[in-house]
Amino acid sequence: ALDTMASTCPVVKAQLRRTPDGTDTVLVVHNFSDSAQSECTLGLASSPLAEGSLTATDLLTGDAADPMPVRAGGAIEDYQPLQTIAPRQTVILSLTP
């Protein structure tokens, strides 16, 4: 499944991707701009994710990102995975309970 998340930075796009059985979830974030973007937050009105907090880990570097809080109904509000996203950067975060 694929859900496009809302972003407070118009040039930053994000998609939440889940395997059909729901066992693996990743967040793909891309900055389409030629300049760095700071303090961008992401949101999603609802999703099949369980309420709680998900650990976020960069699949390329292994670095930790801020945990993703999931509210009732799978809602995600004001999630800021990274302080700054570099120009033309794509980040893929693995999300685990």
Side-chain angles (χ1 to χ4, degrees):
L2 176 68
D3 293 299
T4 299
M5 299 184 74
S7 173
T8 58
C9 297
V11 294
V12 173
K13 305 299 180 191
Q15 294 180 323
L16 191 63
R17 303 183 69 126
R18 293 175 314 286
T19 54
D21 63 3
T23 57
D24 292 309
T25 303
V26 296
L27 175 62
V28 180
V29 182
H30 184 74
N31 176 4
F32 284 93
S33 173
D34 289 330
S35 60
Q37 300 295 308
S38 297
E39 300 181 14
C40 302
T41 61
L42 306 174
L44 189 61
S46 66
S47 76
L49 297 174
E51 186 174 358
S53 182
L54 298 176
T55 299
T57 307
D58 188 309
L59 285 177
L60 180 61
T61 66
D63 293 339
D66 285 346
M68 176 187 279
V70 180
R71 298 180 188 267
I76 300 161
E77 297 176 4
D78 299 324
Y79 176 55
Q80 183 179 338
L82 304 166
Q83 183 71 23
T84 301
I85 301 172
R88 304 283 179 200
Q89 180 182 17
T90 298
V91 177
I92 303 173
L93 301 174
S94 172
L95 301 172
T96 56

